[in-house]
């Protein structure tokens, strides 16, 4: 069976970063820039006052000095004169300063009588002026290798960039398979259960910026599977769940093969998630998740997420962290075991406790888990207090 690391390399080889499109800033939140944006201007474009007060030349900035107020500078309305020695200019926050070597004295620190101001005996050392270009210069480029944040959009707007080139969103088609499945809100028969996998996978994919097409449940027969695979045409990534194992009704691999799946692998040394399959199918990558909800989730976290990052033009992320085992834990078998676990604060590392019941159908435990405790394949028993690796769940 394929080790997890090799399976990851293989799924990443199935996808390439998608093409680009231009979107306006209002639609760029969470998108990944594909080309650098260039600052169209210098910010601030002039040296400006950071306070409301009086601009005076440094030569006049003396304890107790008296000056005459000559004019006014406000944000958007610069003073158009040239102050001479002994003159002050009333100035407001955001206004361009009227000369090169000045300071802004806060209005609450001066005494004003008519057009005359008197400076205090104790002067501030800060000049209260924001120098031209202290934020960024015209021509500077910006292209973070992460999804754009609200703050990034503010920066781009300030750069006078109205639209950006971003990667196209990956289109992910999600297909649940199984005669036993009905959708939430429907009435299940006595031998049926509710489809939960599609909701986990859709939410994970959407949170990664994908556009999700949730397709109808495919039944465990060839015609139904073919029909639903056909509906997935146009997607960048087709994600199935269920029907991946060796049972007589596990037809996903077979039907996908008939429809042209170029399989990269099937079955990996991972618990849960053993029957994972992946390949290329026409213009799309295909990821066949196991049916058990925990297995599907762990595979989505470990493989779907990196695939979506690559499609979106994002670099690989390293999510593995260290923690201290809070309880003894037994040896592992021939598969790397990703155990649902909880985290408690600890210094310097958090403490991790795996759940006793690791049945891969238990959604309640999956929901309570903070992380997956990673137990390498073939590892011996581990004692409380030992350092281990975890994958935090968000
Ligand atoms: N003889 C063997 N049997 C099994 C093996 C094996 O190696 N030899 N592997 C086991 C492992 S490991 C897993 S994992 C499962 C996965 O099998 P499939 O991918 O074929 O999944 P199904 O049989 O279709 O379903 C498994 C289980 O999950 C439920 N399910 C399916 N889809 C959904 C959904 N969308 N939402 C909620 N629950 C779902 C389904 O009802 C089953 O209970 O195979 C083992 N068997
Ligand atoms: O490995 Mo399966 O994925 O036990 O649940």
């Amino acid at each position: 069976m394929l080790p997890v690391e090799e399976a990851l390399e293989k799924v990443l080889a199935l996808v390439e970063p998608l093409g680009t499109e231009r979107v306006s800033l209002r639609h760029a939140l969470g998108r990944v820039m594909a080309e650098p944006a260039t600052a169209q201007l210098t910010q601030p474009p002039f040296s400006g006052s950071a306070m409301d007060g009086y601009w005076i030349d440094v030569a006049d900035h003396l304890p107790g000095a008296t000056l005459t107020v000559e004019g006014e500078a406000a944000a958007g309305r610069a003073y158009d004169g040239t102050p001479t020695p002994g003159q002050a200019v009333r100035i407001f926050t955001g206004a361009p300063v009227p000369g090169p070597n000045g300071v802004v004295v806060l209005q609450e620190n001066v005494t004003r009588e008519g057009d005359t101001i008197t400076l205090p005996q104790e002067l501030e050392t800060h000049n209260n002026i924001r120098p031209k270009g202290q934020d960024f210069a015209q021509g500077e480029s910006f292209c973070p290798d992460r999804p754009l944040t609200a703050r990034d959009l503010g920066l781009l707007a300030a750069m006078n960039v109205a639209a950006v080139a971003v990667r196209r969103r990956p289109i992910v088609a999600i297909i649940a398979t199984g005669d036993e499945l009905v959708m939430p809100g429907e009435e299940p028969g006595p031998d049926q259960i509710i489809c939960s996998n599609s909701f986990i996978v859709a939410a994970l994919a959407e949170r990664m910026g994908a556009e999700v097409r949730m397709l109808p449940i495919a039944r465990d027969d060839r015609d139904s599977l073919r029909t639903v695979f056909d509906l997935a045409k146009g997607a960048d990534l087709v994600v199935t769940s269920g029907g991946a194992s060796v049972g007589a009704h596990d037809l996903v691999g077979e039907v996908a093969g008939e429809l042209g799946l170029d399989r990269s692998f099937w079955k990996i040394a991972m618990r849960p998630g053993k029957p994972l399959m992946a390949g290329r199918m026409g213009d799309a990558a295909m990821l066949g998740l196991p049916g058990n909800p925990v297995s599907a989730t762990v595979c989505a976290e470990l493989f779907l997420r990196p695939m979506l990052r690559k499609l979106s033009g994002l670099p690989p992320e390293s999510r593995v962290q260290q923690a201290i085992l809070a309880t003894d834990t037994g040896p592992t078998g021939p598969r790397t075991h990703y155990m649902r676990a909880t985290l408690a604060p600890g210094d310097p590392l958090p403490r991790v406790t795996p759940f006793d019941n690791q049945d891969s159908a238990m959604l309640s435990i999956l929901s309570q888990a903070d992380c997956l405790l990673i137990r390498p394949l073939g590892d011996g028993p581990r004692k409380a207090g030992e350092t281990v690796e975890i994958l935090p769940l968000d």
Side-chain angles (χ1 to χ4, degrees):
M1 269 185 298
L2 200 62
V4 172
E5 300 70 30
E6 285 177 35
L8 180 60
E9 272 175 35
K10 285 186 183 287
V11 294
L12 288 176
L14 298 173
V15 290
E16 288 302 330
L18 294 170
T20 63
E21 60 187 11
R22 282 187 82 72
V23 294
S24 70
L25 279 195
R26 288 282 291 118
H27 296 104
L29 183 65
R31 304 298 298 270
V32 180
M33 286 179 69
E35 291 165 19
T38 304
Q40 299 299 300
L41 41 72
T42 292
Q43 174 67 14
F46 47 78
S47 293
S49 179
M51 293 291 185
D52 298 317
Y54 296 88
W55 179 91
I56 62 174
D57 195 280
V58 280
D60 291 328
H61 195 225
L62 302 167
T66 300
L67 296 104
T68 309
V69 180
E70 262 308 301
E72 185 179 294
R77 273 184 290 120
Y79 174 67
D80 59 4
T82 310
T84 55
Q87 290 184 340
V89 172
R90 180 78 170 111
I91 198 162
F92 297 100
T93 308
V97 293
N101 300 311
V103 300
V104 171
V105 185
L106 271 58
Q107 63 187 50
E108 52 271 44
N109 292 345
V110 306
T111 314
R112 179 164 180 169
E113 275 173 40
D115 281 343
T116 303
I117 57 164
T118 305
L119 303 190
Q121 286 303 322
E122 275 194 29
L123 297 175
E124 246 194 297
T125 50
H126 192 260
N127 70 5
N128 298 311
I129 292 172
R130 297 189 175 122
K132 174 179 177 175
Q134 79 162 358
D135 202 352
F136 52 81
Q138 184 175 25
E140 247 175 62
S141 67
F142 180 66
C143 194
D145 61 355
R146 54 175 163 70
L148 288 172
T149 64
R151 292 165 285 123
D152 295 332
L153 299 187
L155 176 59
L156 286 160
M159 288 177 157
N160 201 11
V161 172
V164 281
V166 293
R167 292 277 166 205
R168 188 165 66 68
R169 284 182 193 282
I171 300 171
V172 179
I174 296 178
I175 304 175
T177 71
D179 287 343
E180 75 280 28
L181 302 176
V182 299
M183 289 302 262
E186 289 177 5
E187 196 57 51
D191 50 3
Q192 288 190 303
I193 62 165
I194 313 295
C195 169
S196 52
N197 292 353
S198 301
F199 294 86
I200 303 170
V201 177
L204 287 174
E206 275 169 356
R207 206 171 46 194
M208 299 294 297
E211 190 183 311
V212 165
R213 286 200 220 151
M214 208 190 274
L215 299 181
I217 295 168
R219 299 303 163 195
D220 290 323
D221 66 73
R222 287 185 165 72
D223 282 348
S224 177
L225 278 164
R226 271 194 211 104
T227 305
V228 184
F229 268 124
D230 202 48
L231 294 173
K233 284 204 172 113
D236 300 301
L237 182 51
V238 180
V239 183
T240 61
S241 76
S245 190
V246 292
H249 304 282
D250 296 334
L251 300 171
V252 169
E254 235 175 276
V255 173
E258 287 161 19
L259 295 175
L261 173 70
D262 181 8
R263 198 165 74 195
S264 169
F265 64 85
W266 177 37
K267 294 187 183 169
I268 58 174
M270 172 170 158
R271 178 183 170 202
K274 182 170 71 170
L276 182 75
M277 76 176 79
R280 288 285 311 176
M281 218 175 154
D283 292 334
M286 186 271 186
L287 191 64
L289 304 175
N292 282 313
V294 179
S295 320
T297 305
V298 174
C299 287
E301 288 282 350
L302 266 80
F303 301 105
L304 174 63
R305 189 167 159 140
M307 288 173 99
L308 290 174
R309 280 187 72 89
K310 185 168 178 192
L311 282 164
S312 307
L314 290 169
E317 60 181 346
S318 70
R319 296 166 68 202
V320 173
Q321 295 176 9
Q322 290 196 321
I324 301 292
L325 257 186
T327 56
D328 294 353
T329 174
T332 58
R335 298 188 275 159
T336 305
H337 194 178
Y338 291 82
M339 303 178 83
R340 279 152 290 163
T342 52
L343 285 177
D347 190 15
L349 293 173
R351 289 157 54 81
V352 60
T353 310
F355 285 94
D356 289 337
N357 191 336
Q358 293 287 330
D359 187 313
S360 58
M362 297 271 293
L363 281 156
S364 51
I365 287 177
L366 181 63
S367 165
Q368 288 169 51
D370 303 313
C371 69
L372 299 170
L373 164 61
I374 306 170
R375 303 277 290 107
L377 60 85
D379 200 22
R382 294 286 162 197
K383 289 264 175 235
E386 289 195 56
T387 303
V388 287
E389 292 193 323
I390 58 158
L391 188 80
L393 295 172
D394 39 29

